[in-house]
Amino acid sequence: MTGSPASEAAFLARDAVDCLPEGALARKLAEGRPLRVKLGLDPTAPDVHLGHTVVLRKLLEFQDRGHVVVLIIGDYTARVGDPSGRSSTRPQLSGEQIDANAQTYVDQAAKVLDASRIELRHNSEWLDMRMVDLFALTRTTTVAQLLERDDFSKRYAAREPISILELLYPLMQAYDSVAVRADVELGGTDQKFNLLLGRDVQRAYGVDEQVALTMPILTGLDGERKMSKSLGNHVGVSEPAQEIYGKVLSLPDAAMAGWYGLLLGEPAPQGPSARDAKHALARRLVERFHSPEAAGEAAAHFDRVFVQHELPAEIEDAEFDGSAATVHMPALIADGFGRTRSEARRLLGQGAVKLDGKALSGADLDVAAERLDGAVLQVGKRGFRRLRRAG
């Protein structure tokens, strides 16, 4: 700790929305021991995105001051799906999907945190509990308490279904805090109810209550809604440098101040044009998650493709079956770009697919194979493949 408990608490909470209860963080710091600072991540998708890094950067500040970051991979809570902000029940993921996603999370979180100073836990360690222990957990909370949650209360009032499993989710997250004896738990503002419930459940188990510290939520590339992979408005920290750079440049000007503040911890520059400020933001983010060299190459790629309207310097090959006279374009796009066939048809209908610079239409579902061999297929603004006839 570099200052008094009060000044240190003020620094750590300076850009938080909530630090509750008031004065609790300073009292914890006054104990003169490393605090156990908890963050839970449910691996419901394979990508850690920029929205997650807002909380990860705050965890890094705690790490840098000698505190213990407890990163919980929610391999059990992911089987439920956090209902925060949801208007319907989440689709259930398979255990295989969750395990595969979880494998990528630590590596991606380490792009922000010091991996050597993370206490990594999986909540399957304690949530795979006996029925008698589950009964004890459910006795800590009433249904009335859970229905105070904004999302639950709205769904209940609208007579929309709420599963018993979803009602258990906040209790499961709270029990994580009991199991790891968290002093502080971090989350977005949509996690406020869960974090405060964690205090109630800790108290019921005779564990010192945690501080609830919530961070602002980063808007997505649409500039309006919370960044989310399910909404398609996210930027993944493990995406290619050129993809990150191009996506950031698509951000609406009005959202830039929030991105500068939450991702870089500084105000957006006032002097340069919005375009220049956006390029600077894109470069900084690519440098953080890749390297300065990758940022320079991504900037050059963007200029070449979108300003000078030239082809990228390097284009990945994609093979197609050359034995047939025609090639079904939705299948080719799905295989070559990781899209679904229905999405490929939609992009064709929108004129978002080009062959050697000329837009294809929704009627171009089947194209002559001889026309494709050696041609450059472009999907969207940033996807390019050089087509090669197989065999």
Side-chain angles (χ1 to χ4, degrees):
M1 190 163 64
T2 57
S4 69
S7 64
E8 190 71 359
F11 174 81
L12 289 168
R14 70 194 183 285
D15 47 2
V17 176
D18 301 294
C19 186
L20 300 170
E22 187 175 352
L25 182 56
R27 290 192 292 273
K28 292 267 191 185
L29 291 166
E31 296 174 14
R33 61 176 176 83
L35 301 184
R36 295 178 60 75
V37 187
K38 167 201 169 191
L39 173 67
L41 292 173
D42 285 349
T44 52
D47 296 326
V48 171
H49 55 63
L50 293 183
H52 295 123
T53 70
V54 175
V55 176
L56 292 174
R57 287 183 66 245
K58 179 57 65 177
L59 281 176
L60 181 61
E61 291 184 357
F62 277 94
Q63 268 192 334
D64 288 344
R65 281 154 178 77
H67 301 292
V68 179
V69 165
V70 184
L71 185 63
I72 298 176
I73 300 297
D75 54 340
Y76 252 48
T77 43
R79 285 162 169 78
V80 179
D82 185 0
S84 297
R86 302 287 294 191
S87 59
S88 60
T89 302
R90 285 180 183 266
Q92 186 173 2
L93 296 177
S94 69
E96 291 76 16
Q97 286 175 300
I98 291 169
D99 292 341
N101 293 344
Q103 290 178 3
T104 70
Y105 264 43
V106 178
D107 290 340
Q108 293 180 73
K111 290 178 177 288
V112 179
L113 297 172
D114 181 348
S116 67
R117 294 187 289 150
I118 294 175
E119 180 181 317
L120 180 66
R121 306 292 295 272
H122 292 72
N123 60 17
S124 56
E125 297 172 35
W126 50 82
L127 290 180
D128 188 7
M129 59 176 57
R130 300 177 304 163
M131 187 64 75
V132 66
D133 296 323
L134 179 60
F135 289 163
L137 175 57
T138 58
R139 287 191 188 101
T140 65
T141 308
T142 67
V143 172
Q145 280 179 277
L146 295 175
L147 290 180
E148 289 175 3
R149 273 183 50 146
D150 186 57
D151 41 21
F152 284 156
S153 64
K154 287 179 179 177
R155 286 163 63 181
Y156 185 73
R159 298 181 180 274
E160 294 173 349
I162 303 170
S163 71
I164 297 297
L165 194 59
E166 285 183 288
L167 290 174
L168 282 177
Y169 185 96
L171 288 174
M172 295 164 72
Q173 180 175 335
Y175 192 76
D176 290 350
S177 294
V178 174
V180 302
R181 294 185 174 268
D183 291 302
V184 181
E185 182 174 9
L186 271 66
T189 52
D190 59 344
Q191 290 290 310
K192 183 177 178 180
F193 178 95
N194 290 1
L195 271 54
L196 292 175
L197 183 65
R199 290 175 49 82
D200 295 338
V201 175
Q202 282 179 311
R203 184 170 58 252
Y205 279 88
V207 174
D208 287 344
E209 298 164 43
Q210 66 189 16
V211 175
L213 192 126
T214 67
M215 296 297 294
I217 292 176
L218 185 72
T219 57
L221 291 168
D222 52 12
E224 298 176 357
R225 297 172 296 177
K226 170 184 175 180
M227 182 173 287
S228 168
K229 192 173 193 302
S230 63
L231 294 174
N233 65 355
H234 72 293
V235 180
V237 301
S238 292
E239 291 189 55
Q242 294 175 3
E243 191 73 8
I244 294 176
Y245 198 97
K247 280 187 171 182
V248 173
L249 291 182
S250 71
L251 184 71
D253 293 352
M256 265 203 303
W259 277 46
Y260 262 92
L262 294 177
L263 298 175
L264 302 183
E266 60 188 55
Q270 298 299 312
S273 66
R275 176 185 178 279
D276 290 342
K278 212 173 294 184
H279 274 276
L281 175 62
R283 182 180 287 271
R284 294 272 294 278
L285 292 175
V286 174
E287 287 177 353
R288 174 182 295 174
F289 300 115
H290 288 278
S291 68
E293 293 75 20
E297 292 170 2
H301 169 86
F302 185 88
D303 184 68
R304 181 168 54 250
V305 175
F306 300 105
V307 179
Q308 301 174 26
H309 300 290
E310 298 177 3
L311 291 176
E314 296 182 7
I315 301 177
E316 183 180 340
D317 285 349
E319 291 188 340
F320 64 91
D321 183 4
S323 62
T326 61
V327 175
H328 191 55
M329 294 306 294
L332 179 60
I333 293 168
D335 292 342
F337 295 87
R339 310 269 188 161
T340 64
R341 294 193 182 196
S342 59
E343 187 179 10
R345 292 188 186 91
R346 177 176 58 79
L347 291 168
L348 283 164
Q350 294 173 344
V353 178
K354 295 180 180 180
L355 189 65
D356 281 341
K358 295 182 180 178
L360 299 178
S361 72
D364 294 313
L365 295 179
D366 297 287
V367 175
E370 61 183 20
R371 182 182 172 192
L372 299 178
D373 193 23
V376 173
L377 183 66
Q378 180 182 352
V379 175
K381 292 183 178 180
R382 294 179 291 278
F384 294 86
R385 297 289 186 273
R386 177 80 64 181
L387 302 178
R388 302 293 185 190
R389 185 193 297 262

